[in-house]
Amino acid sequence: MATEAKTHWIEEELAALREQGLYTNIRVIESPMDGWVTIDGRRVLNFCANNYLGLANHPRLREAAKRAIDEYGVGPAAVRTIAGTTDLHTKLEQRLAEFKHVEAAITFQSGFNANLATIPALVGRGDVIFSDRLNHASIIDGCRLSRAQIVAYEHNDPDDLRRKIAETEITGRALIVTDGVFSMDGDIAPLPELYEIASEHGFLLMVDDAHGEGVLGEGGRGIVDHFDLHGKVDIEVGTMSKAFGVVGGVVAGNKTIIEWLRQRGRPFLFSSAMTLPDVGACLAAIDLLEESTELVDRLWSNAAYFKEHMNGLGFDTGATETPIIPVMLGEATLAQQFSKRLFEEGVFAMAIGYPTVPQGKARIRVMNTAAHTQDDLDRGLEAFEKVGRELGVIG
Ligand SMILES: *Cc1c(COP(=O)(O)O)cnc(C)c1O
């Protein structure tokens, strides 16, 4: 049987996605990732990237990556348990642990892999995971891989978590896991309450701080620092693919758990490490964060300015408490149309629809960064106002 005959159903599914406004067209960027990017030969304002601090194209990170290549070459050439690991990798782990004020840290190729490594290493068949209903896909997949029973509690609702715990028969270990900052709404997990519940019951507590790393806490030290819960949250997963401007994942916390992940984290044992230029660039990102809070401060003031003016124009920006600014539009087709018109006005801001957000809750997610000037933000606001009036979203 020819492949085409077996993939007919995929073509039908793809056609349905296009019809519903849910097909993702990936833009091709012809320049470095920065506050402005070149797409189809045009300079457009970039409101899409998780490049919170503008580090993806920062001269210090570029230099550090080149230096790492000069000293160490490019790739790790095998998994670390077999081929060994460079002292640059171990240095990054030490620096991350110090930066985050934890006992130890281990790096992975990505934040996604960090979750796939960690959850199945901590719980398994016969155990229970209590997971926020809106947790990131990589947490959900990590939970599924573990084969533990998964109990979803209502989003950011400690009372519902208590109810779910009371209703669940627990014979083995239990883990409470949550995103730190929820990436599509920008709201923050009630970590102090979750910590209280976890410690009452003796459950493990894990937070995935992908959108809090480099953003929340003193100088970007993350959600645990933000809530001053040092030594209380057992596992902090993070990513170096967002505010750090590079790519890579990290698990930080208790040293026994980190040691265990070096023995039993499957993406650690069976997939090669971060590349050397990535590691070098991440070290430079930590240097910058430790030297000054300037970039973190600018990120927050930019986001506050943009949000205030968007609300003033009449846009609904949901429940965000962080620099993530969702512009709620409702129907996926409207969000796509809005994004297309913004692009024509010189603003790159993607529409986000199901399954990334619930049906009927499509939006444009605006990501301001420290790389944007006030002038940039004003240009963006003008475009939103123009398109918003044209499409009848604001009056
Ligand atoms: C982005 C994100 C990840 C994935 O991080 P990568 O380093 O890009 O793999 C994991 N968890 C959460 C909550 C995220 O927002």
Side-chain angles (χ1 to χ4, degrees):
M1 203 194 225
T3 306
E4 292 83 72
K6 289 179 279 186
T7 55
H8 188 62
W9 68 273
I10 300 179
E11 298 207 347
E12 282 177 1
E13 293 281 344
L14 289 170
L17 289 182
R18 286 193 189 93
E19 213 161 282
Q20 295 156 25
L22 296 174
Y23 187 90
T24 309
N25 283 302
I26 303 177
R27 298 276 190 192
V28 179
I29 315 278
E30 298 143 4
S31 66
M33 268 295 178
D34 225 323
W36 290 76
V37 288
T38 307
I39 298 175
D40 300 335
R42 274 173 63 213
R43 292 294 281 167
V44 290
L45 190 55
N46 183 11
F47 274 172
C48 292
N50 296 326
N51 184 23
Y52 286 106
L53 303 176
L55 297 183
N57 188 37
H58 193 285
R60 292 264 299 271
L61 273 75
R62 291 171 66 122
E63 264 319 301
K66 287 180 200 164
R67 223 170 29 244
I69 292 176
D70 288 342
E71 285 174 30
Y72 292 91
V74 181
V79 301
R80 297 164 74 181
T81 45
I82 291 172
T85 188
T86 73
D87 52 1
L88 206 63
H89 284 86
T90 56
K91 188 169 159 200
L92 175 60
E93 290 169 342
Q94 280 159 12
R95 288 287 307 279
L96 283 165
E98 283 163 24
F99 175 68
K100 296 183 69 64
H101 308 308
V102 294
E103 287 180 351
I106 177 173
T107 58
F108 293 89
Q109 309 80 2
S110 70
F112 202 113
N113 270 353
N115 278 324
L116 296 192
T118 305
I119 300 170
L122 296 175
V123 286
R125 229 189 268 284
D127 299 331
V128 183
I129 301 168
F130 296 96
S131 174
D132 187 289
R133 210 169 55 74
L134 294 189
N135 274 343
H136 188 261
S138 58
I139 297 180
I140 295 172
D141 287 5
C143 291
R144 288 178 182 156
L145 275 175
S146 77
R147 296 166 196 243
Q149 180 192 349
I150 302 163
V151 179
Y153 62 89
E154 291 306 317
H155 174 55
N156 277 357
D157 186 346
D159 293 333
D160 189 57
L161 171 59
R162 285 185 189 281
R163 269 193 301 275
K164 294 278 160 54
I165 291 172
E167 286 164 7
T168 306
E169 193 191 338
I170 302 166
T171 51
R173 286 190 292 275
L175 168 73
I176 299 172
V177 61
T178 183
D179 272 32
V181 174
F182 288 81
S183 58
M184 292 302 141
D185 293 290
D187 51 341
I188 302 176
L191 208 54
E193 287 89 341
L194 299 182
Y195 165 68
E196 257 174 51
I197 297 172
S199 63
E200 271 167 38
H201 293 273
F203 296 169
L204 284 164
L205 177 60
M206 167 170 164
V207 62
D208 177 350
D209 199 27
H211 282 274
E213 205 82 79
V215 175
L216 288 178
E218 193 227 330
R221 279 164 179 77
I223 190 170
V224 170
D225 189 81
H226 170 79
F227 284 119
D228 199 14
L229 289 169
H230 296 287
K232 294 178 172 167
V233 176
D234 304 299
I235 311 115
E236 234 183 302
V237 169
T239 179
M240 290 168 282
S241 323
K242 289 175 176 142
F244 275 53
V246 193
V247 75
V250 56
V251 183
N254 169 281
K255 65 180 187 315
T256 307
I257 292 175
I258 304 303
E259 186 181 355
W260 180 238
L261 292 176
R262 288 188 204 285
Q263 303 300 318
R264 282 294 175 273
R266 287 170 68 85
F268 186 83
L269 298 175
F270 298 105
S271 183
S272 298
M274 292 170 70
T275 73
L276 277 308
D278 287 339
V279 175
C282 287
L283 281 162
I286 299 175
D287 288 342
L288 279 169
L289 284 166
E290 285 183 345
E291 279 165 26
S292 155
T293 62
E294 185 197 332
L295 292 173
V296 180
D297 296 343
R298 194 180 319 145
L299 163 69
W300 281 90
S301 63
N302 277 353
Y305 178 86
F306 192 84
K307 180 171 173 272
E308 189 194 320
H309 284 82
M310 284 292 281
N311 293 149
L313 289 170
F315 285 104
D316 173 8
T317 57
T320 183
E321 306 167 71
T322 63
I324 294 171
I325 303 178
V327 182
M328 310 304 280
L329 294 169
E331 288 313 311
T333 44
L334 173 63
Q336 281 211 335
Q337 172 70 1
F338 205 111
S339 168
K340 191 164 153 268
R341 281 289 299 118
L342 282 176
F343 191 73
E344 286 161 8
E345 297 295 325
V347 177
F348 177 35
M350 280 294 279
I352 294 174
Y354 181 82
T356 310
V357 295
Q359 298 269 19
K361 296 224 167 154
R363 65 199 67 182
I364 287 183
R365 188 182 60 160
V366 174
M367 302 298 273
N368 297 137
T369 73
H372 291 115
T373 64
Q374 173 144 350
D375 199 40
D376 294 340
L377 302 179
D378 288 337
R379 294 272 295 265
L381 287 165
E382 251 168 58
F384 265 95
E385 181 175 9
K386 180 171 179 192
V387 176
R389 291 200 199 290
E390 190 183 296
L391 297 180
V393 175
I394 54 171

Short mmCIF file of all heavy atoms in Angstrom, two decimals, residues 23-44:
data_model
loop_
_atom_site.label_atom_id
_atom_site.label_comp_id
_atom_site.label_asym_id
_atom_site.label_seq_id
_atom_site.Cartn_x
_atom_site.Cartn_y
_atom_site.Cartn_z
N TYR A 23 -4.82 26.08 12.20
CA TYR A 23 -3.59 25.62 11.56
C TYR A 23 -2.49 26.64 11.84
O TYR A 23 -2.69 27.84 11.68
CB TYR A 23 -3.81 25.49 10.05
CG TYR A 23 -2.64 24.85 9.34
CD1 TYR A 23 -2.58 23.48 9.17
CD2 TYR A 23 -1.61 25.63 8.84
CE1 TYR A 23 -1.51 22.88 8.53
CE2 TYR A 23 -0.53 25.05 8.19
CZ TYR A 23 -0.49 23.68 8.04
OH TYR A 23 0.58 23.10 7.40
N THR A 24 -1.34 26.15 12.29
CA THR A 24 -0.24 27.05 12.63
C THR A 24 0.71 27.24 11.45
O THR A 24 1.29 26.27 10.97
CB THR A 24 0.57 26.48 13.81
OG1 THR A 24 -0.35 26.14 14.84
CG2 THR A 24 1.57 27.48 14.33
N ASN A 25 0.80 28.46 10.97
CA ASN A 25 1.80 28.78 9.95
C ASN A 25 3.04 29.31 10.65
O ASN A 25 2.94 30.27 11.41
CB ASN A 25 1.26 29.86 9.00
CG ASN A 25 0.28 29.26 8.00
OD1 ASN A 25 0.63 28.35 7.25
ND2 ASN A 25 -0.94 29.75 8.02
N ILE A 26 4.16 28.70 10.40
CA ILE A 26 5.38 29.11 11.10
C ILE A 26 6.12 30.16 10.27
O ILE A 26 6.48 29.90 9.12
CB ILE A 26 6.29 27.89 11.39
CG1 ILE A 26 5.49 26.86 12.21
CG2 ILE A 26 7.56 28.33 12.10
CD1 ILE A 26 6.24 25.59 12.50
N ARG A 27 6.29 31.33 10.86
CA ARG A 27 7.00 32.41 10.18
C ARG A 27 8.50 32.10 10.12
O ARG A 27 9.05 31.54 11.07
CB ARG A 27 6.83 33.71 10.95
CG ARG A 27 5.40 34.18 11.05
CD ARG A 27 5.02 34.93 9.80
NE ARG A 27 3.73 35.58 9.97
CZ ARG A 27 3.05 36.11 8.96
NH1 ARG A 27 3.52 36.04 7.73
NH2 ARG A 27 1.90 36.70 9.17
N VAL A 28 9.12 32.49 9.03
CA VAL A 28 10.57 32.30 8.91
C VAL A 28 11.28 33.62 9.21
O VAL A 28 11.00 34.64 8.56
CB VAL A 28 10.93 31.79 7.49
CG1 VAL A 28 12.44 31.62 7.37
CG2 VAL A 28 10.22 30.48 7.21
N ILE A 29 12.17 33.62 10.20
CA ILE A 29 12.88 34.82 10.64
C ILE A 29 14.23 34.88 9.92
O ILE A 29 14.98 33.91 9.94
CB ILE A 29 13.13 34.76 12.16
CG1 ILE A 29 11.88 34.32 12.92
CG2 ILE A 29 13.70 36.07 12.68
CD1 ILE A 29 10.88 35.34 13.20
N GLU A 30 14.50 36.01 9.32
CA GLU A 30 15.73 36.14 8.52
C GLU A 30 16.78 37.00 9.23
O GLU A 30 17.68 37.55 8.59
CB GLU A 30 15.37 36.77 7.16
CG GLU A 30 14.41 35.91 6.34
CD GLU A 30 13.39 36.74 5.55
OE1 GLU A 30 13.46 37.98 5.56
OE2 GLU A 30 12.50 36.12 4.94
N SER A 31 16.66 37.12 10.55
CA SER A 31 17.57 37.98 11.31
C SER A 31 17.74 37.38 12.69
O SER A 31 17.06 36.42 13.02
CB SER A 31 16.95 39.37 11.44
OG SER A 31 15.78 39.29 12.24
N PRO A 32 18.62 37.95 13.55
CA PRO A 32 18.66 37.46 14.93
C PRO A 32 17.32 37.69 15.62
O PRO A 32 16.56 38.60 15.25
CB PRO A 32 19.75 38.34 15.58
CG PRO A 32 20.57 38.85 14.46
CD PRO A 32 19.65 38.99 13.30
N MET A 33 17.03 36.89 16.65
CA MET A 33 15.85 37.09 17.49
C MET A 33 16.10 38.30 18.38
O MET A 33 17.04 38.30 19.18
CB MET A 33 15.64 35.86 18.38
CG MET A 33 14.73 34.83 17.79
SD MET A 33 13.06 35.48 17.60
CE MET A 33 12.27 34.07 16.84
N ASP A 34 15.29 39.32 18.22
CA ASP A 34 15.51 40.53 19.00
C ASP A 34 14.19 41.29 19.09
O ASP A 34 13.15 40.76 18.71
CB ASP A 34 16.60 41.39 18.32
CG ASP A 34 17.60 41.92 19.35
OD1 ASP A 34 17.16 42.26 20.46
OD2 ASP A 34 18.80 42.00 19.04
N GLY A 35 14.24 42.53 19.56
CA GLY A 35 13.02 43.33 19.67
C GLY A 35 12.34 43.54 18.32
O GLY A 35 11.13 43.65 18.24
N TRP A 36 13.15 43.62 17.29
CA TRP A 36 12.66 43.68 15.90
C TRP A 36 13.27 42.51 15.15
O TRP A 36 14.40 42.10 15.43
CB TRP A 36 13.10 44.99 15.22
CG TRP A 36 12.40 46.20 15.74
CD1 TRP A 36 12.65 46.83 16.93
CD2 TRP A 36 11.33 46.92 15.12
NE1 TRP A 36 11.81 47.89 17.07
CE2 TRP A 36 10.98 47.99 15.99
CE3 TRP A 36 10.63 46.77 13.91
CZ2 TRP A 36 9.97 48.89 15.69
CZ3 TRP A 36 9.64 47.69 13.61
CH2 TRP A 36 9.30 48.73 14.49
N VAL A 37 12.52 41.95 14.20
CA VAL A 37 13.05 40.85 13.39
C VAL A 37 12.70 41.10 11.93
O VAL A 37 11.80 41.90 11.62
CB VAL A 37 12.49 39.47 13.82
CG1 VAL A 37 13.08 39.03 15.14
CG2 VAL A 37 10.97 39.47 13.87
N THR A 38 13.41 40.41 11.03
CA THR A 38 13.13 40.51 9.61
C THR A 38 12.34 39.28 9.16
O THR A 38 12.78 38.15 9.39
CB THR A 38 14.44 40.61 8.80
OG1 THR A 38 15.22 41.67 9.34
CG2 THR A 38 14.16 40.87 7.32
N ILE A 39 11.18 39.52 8.58
CA ILE A 39 10.34 38.43 8.04
C ILE A 39 9.90 38.84 6.64
O ILE A 39 9.43 39.97 6.45
CB ILE A 39 9.11 38.19 8.94
CG1 ILE A 39 9.54 37.76 10.35
CG2 ILE A 39 8.20 37.13 8.31
CD1 ILE A 39 8.41 37.63 11.34
N ASP A 40 10.06 37.95 5.69
CA ASP A 40 9.75 38.27 4.28
C ASP A 40 10.42 39.58 3.86
O ASP A 40 9.82 40.40 3.15
CB ASP A 40 8.23 38.38 4.07
CG ASP A 40 7.51 37.09 4.42
OD1 ASP A 40 8.15 36.01 4.36
OD2 ASP A 40 6.31 37.15 4.78
N GLY A 41 11.64 39.79 4.33
CA GLY A 41 12.40 40.97 3.93
C GLY A 41 11.97 42.26 4.61
O GLY A 41 12.51 43.32 4.33
N ARG A 42 10.98 42.19 5.53
CA ARG A 42 10.49 43.41 6.21
C ARG A 42 10.88 43.39 7.68
O ARG A 42 10.82 42.36 8.33
CB ARG A 42 8.95 43.44 6.14
CG ARG A 42 8.40 44.05 4.89
CD ARG A 42 6.88 43.86 4.88
NE ARG A 42 6.24 44.57 5.99
CZ ARG A 42 5.13 44.14 6.61
NH1 ARG A 42 4.58 42.99 6.29
NH2 ARG A 42 4.59 44.86 7.57
N ARG A 43 11.24 44.56 8.23
CA ARG A 43 11.51 44.68 9.66
C ARG A 43 10.16 44.79 10.38
O ARG A 43 9.34 45.65 10.04
CB ARG A 43 12.33 45.94 9.95
CG ARG A 43 13.73 45.88 9.41
CD ARG A 43 14.57 44.81 10.07
NE ARG A 43 15.09 45.21 11.39
CZ ARG A 43 15.63 44.35 12.25
NH1 ARG A 43 15.67 43.06 11.96
NH2 ARG A 43 16.09 44.78 13.40
N VAL A 44 9.91 43.91 11.32
CA VAL A 44 8.66 43.98 12.08
C VAL A 44 8.98 43.92 13.58
O VAL A 44 9.98 43.35 14.01
CB VAL A 44 7.68 42.83 11.71
CG1 VAL A 44 7.13 43.02 10.31
CG2 VAL A 44 8.33 41.47 11.85
#
